[in-house]
Amino acid sequence: DGGITQSPKYLFRKEGQNVTLSCEQNLNHDAMYWYRQDPGQGLRLIYYSQIVNDFQKGDIAEGYSVSREKKESFPLTVTSAQKNPTAFYLCASSIPNAGSNYGYTFGSGTRLTVV
Amino acid sequence: SQKIEQNSEALNIQEGKTATLTCNYTNYSPAYLQWYRQDPGRGPVFLLLIRENEKEKRKERLKVTFDTTLKQSLFHITASQPADSATYLCALDRGSTLGRLYFGRGTQLTVWP
């Protein structure tokens, strides 16, 4: 079955360390997204990509970086410049542009904790 | 910037009743409005999408309405069950080629027996 796989499910980061969250999809979707979710807040967009080798900053991109070398993969790196990285990170994919009836497909998330 | 408000953080109803959740938005008018269900520790799951030229859409026990004059969407779950307990998220798509969604904070629904 098609879907999105995020790994790891739980991740612990030490102060000053960079960590990379994995996101892989086999839905053949062109668009992929990274959101951050904090308690009591809506999902906030970090980065998104419409096609391979192209991506755009979302609303809270500072301290994060991404790459899109393959259609199936959109890894997110949380750098040491991100001062408050503890959160639940969600990856999603979609068929972009008007007309889709299917919305986003989300992964099961990665919970990142700074120790 | 786009602002989306969902009426309350929590809604508690009795099994068998109809749950009604509200999503209000300001600024730009969306081309599409979507509703998602999210269970604790899981990613959101897409439920329904309604277009700006549609007044109502149904799927099994779910019904969504879209009033562009009031800038509001209502999400109804009829004959609610304890298994419907979850957080429900409203999301807007402005219809640009970018395809990005703006999410509300969600309403936590609890259905008690």
Side-chain angles (χ1 to χ4, degrees):
Chain A
D1 290 334
I4 294 185
T5 301
Q6 287 187 243
S7 62
K9 189 171 179 63
Y10 299 96
L11 186 58
F12 298 90
R13 192 194 92 166
K14 295 181 180 179
E15 295 283 353
Q17 191 178 46
N18 291 357
V19 292
T20 297
L21 284 59
S22 172
C23 178
E24 303 278 335
Q25 56 103 354
N26 60 3
L27 299 165
N28 200 33
H29 285 173
D30 288 311
M32 296 188 74
Y33 312 83
W34 274 105
Y35 283 88
R36 168 178 172 148
Q37 188 173 37
D38 295 278
Q41 296 198 39
L43 276 67
R44 292 184 289 167
L45 184 64
I46 305 173
Y47 268 99
Y48 59 105
S49 169
Q50 298 292 303
I51 56 173
V52 174
N53 293 323
D54 187 44
F55 48 83
Q56 291 79 40
K57 292 181 179 180
D59 301 320
I60 55 166
E62 185 175 353
Y64 300 97
S65 66
V66 293
S67 63
R68 187 84 187 275
E69 297 177 359
K70 298 186 300 181
K71 187 175 185 178
E72 301 79 20
S73 179
F74 192 41
L76 173 74
T77 296
V78 184
T79 74
S80 57
Q82 171 50 240
K83 297 307 178 187
N84 185 23
T86 295
F88 189 49
Y89 291 86
L90 289 161
C91 180
S93 70
S94 75
I95 302 170
N97 303 323
S100 170
N101 278 310
Y102 303 104
Y104 281 11
T105 300
F106 280 88
S108 56
T110 293
R111 188 165 297 281
L112 174 62
T113 304
V114 174
V115 295
Chain B
S1 63
Q2 190 77 50
K3 187 175 180 181
I4 303 153
E5 291 184 351
Q6 295 191 240
N7 58 329
S8 61
E9 289 189 4
L11 178 65
N12 299 309
I13 65 168
Q14 188 176 21
E15 182 176 10
K17 303 291 187 184
T18 296
T20 299
L21 286 64
T22 304
C23 176
N24 296 294
Y25 59 91
T26 60
N27 297 342
Y28 306 101
S29 292
Y32 304 92
L33 195 144
Q34 303 182 16
W35 285 87
Y36 290 78
R37 169 183 173 142
Q38 186 176 23
D39 291 287
R42 307 293 297 273
V45 174
F46 172 72
L47 296 175
L48 281 170
L49 178 153
I50 187 167
R51 294 178 172 79
E52 61 180 337
N53 60 351
E54 296 177 318
K55 296 291 186 184
E56 180 180 299
K57 182 166 279 190
R58 294 175 183 261
K59 179 182 176 183
E60 298 174 352
R61 294 185 295 111
L62 309 180
K63 184 178 83 171
V64 173
T65 62
F66 194 4
D67 189 325
T68 55
T69 301
L70 293 178
K71 295 193 173 184
Q72 181 181 81
S73 174
L74 299 179
F75 177 79
H76 306 272
I77 305 175
T78 59
S80 59
Q81 306 166 0
D84 295 325
S85 299
T87 296
Y88 291 86
L89 307 175
C90 165
L92 308 183
D93 180 342
R94 285 160 51 183
S96 71
T97 57
L98 300 177
R100 64 160 293 178
L101 292 178
Y102 298 83
F103 283 86
R105 295 184 179 187
T107 296
Q108 186 175 350
L109 173 67
T110 301
V111 181
W112 44 279

